[in-house]
Amino acid sequence: MNLPPLVQSFVLHFGEMGGRWGVNRTVGQIYALLYVSPEPLCAEEIAEALGISRSNVSMSLRELQAWNLVLLRHIPDDRRDYYTTPDDVWLILRVLAEERKKREIDPTLSVLRELLLQTPRDDADRHAQARLAEMHEMIESLTSWYDDVKKLETERLMALLSLGAKVTRFLEVKDRITRFGRPRKEPLKTLPETEEGGG
Amino acid sequence: MNLPPLVQSFVLHFGEMGGRWGVNRTVGQIYALLYVSPEPLCAEEIAEALGISRSNVSMSLRELQAWNLVLLRHIPDDRRDYYTTPDDVWLILRVLAEERKKREIDPTLSVLRELLLQTPRDDADRHAQARLAEMHEMIESLTSWYDDVKKLETERLMALLSLGAKVTRFLEVKDRITRFGRPRKEPLKTLPETEEGGG
DNA sequence: CTGAAATTTCAGAAACTTCTGAAATGACGA
DNA sequence: TCGTCATTTCAGAAGTTTCTGAAATTTCAG
């Protein structure tokens, strides 16, 4: 591997993390390299920079394409494919969230739905289904929130994030004024630990 | 494996998904089994139910404990350890989010911080650092939102979720009245696709 | 068409992970 | 203390993934 030290540390770290993120070391390294590279790179250059075989690069780029994490670029009078990453980090986040949902959540959601449609044979089945229903309901809440939020323009998404839990102040107001959600049993307490006055 | 068909399908599915979630098949299966089981189970019963070795169960339970995903129970006059999962799915979600953050986000955040402190040697370094800074900033926004939201009681968290992107209506109001965030360049458009009148 | 350059595929080697049975350790009552 | 039962550890077998170099395929200018 022949890279400036700073880039190399970053690339090696992404390689190590790759496993935890559901891709292998090479895929992580290539992604990191493309992310910091000022220009798109071709397969040969990647293989060279990371000191790995050309065929490994080819397979790993395929995987990155399956994840929608790389873009193909072309340079006039050059037949080679050049690769790069989207440069907007927020776009990268969206792509990543979408892909992980597709791989980690959707299959489970569809299995849960299928199993909940089955007619229970006995009490054990009934208990199991009740548990599956709880899980199903939670995942539905999350994915419908996600489907809603992902439509936001980046600027609004950032505003929403920086608001954080302070949104619940609006929720309290909403509770009182419009009676959205169920009426509260206890009197509303002021929230713990939301001191800095963003609003 | 000797389980009722419905439970078996669920257990097998979690086993398959395990790999995608950063644990192995056995860990996923054990978790699923404990999740649907009406009573806590001991290691022997788990090994029996899943048709795997006793020692494999022991190692996998260790891993589940490292993830804080199982609880230890004791039954009077029985020396064995019995295991179960928390039964509140929202608590499970919190634990999972926390653990994944710890494993998948925090190490990267600390590498980014470290690399951003280094003095760049040349333009390539300066460019790389600028890219790392963008990534760092995004991750910081996300984790600080997360730190804020995880303090919410479950009831409020659910209310926040069901509000989804409608929160941005408040953001618009906030924009106008309190000038939180930067002033808008374009006139505000009504949002596409947020019809059903929750508020 | 032909041939040179780029890319992909694929069988098997290397590396790594998972799983097991046997042995070691620990916990408890007598 | 001992014996019994439960649990953990661990070396290596079994299984899986990753990576390579060689061969096959694709692409395109001439």
Side-chain angles (χ1 to χ4, degrees), chain B residues 92-160:
Chain B
I92 293 173
L93 176 70
R94 283 163 196 267
V95 170
L96 225 103
E98 192 61 27
E99 294 297 324
R100 289 192 80 153
K101 173 174 177 287
K102 206 155 76 187
R103 282 154 226 249
E104 301 177 12
I105 311 295
D106 294 353
T108 295
L109 209 43
S110 88
V111 166
L112 288 174
R113 286 202 185 109
E114 191 189 306
L115 296 178
L116 286 170
L117 287 177
Q118 290 184 15
T119 310
R121 302 181 176 283
D122 51 23
D123 276 356
D125 274 7
R126 262 182 291 276
H127 176 267
Q129 276 191 336
R131 294 291 278 153
L132 301 198
E134 287 176 57
M135 184 180 284
H136 179 260
E137 203 181 342
M138 183 196 64
I139 299 178
E140 286 268 293
S141 305
L142 286 173
T143 56
S144 100
W145 174 83
Y146 166 75
D147 285 343
D148 224 16
V149 164
K150 77 179 173 194
K151 288 174 203 147
L152 295 177
E153 307 142 46
T154 297
E155 198 185 17
R156 279 179 179 173
L157 175 59
M158 287 166 71
L160 188 149

Side-chain angles (χ1 to χ4, degrees), chain A residues 74-89:
Chain A
H74 281 103
I75 291 180
D77 298 327
D78 189 334
R79 287 161 57 201
R80 286 170 293 183
D81 290 340
Y82 283 78
Y83 298 88
T84 186
T85 62
D87 47 47
D88 173 4
V89 285

Side-chain angles (χ1 to χ4, degrees), chain A residues 13 100 108 156 165 180 191, chain B residues 13 100 108 148 156 191 198:
Chain A
H13 172 75
R100 288 192 80 152
T108 296
R156 278 180 180 173
F180 177 93
L191 283 176
Chain B
H13 172 76
R100 289 192 80 153
T108 295
D148 224 16
R156 279 179 179 173
L191 282 176

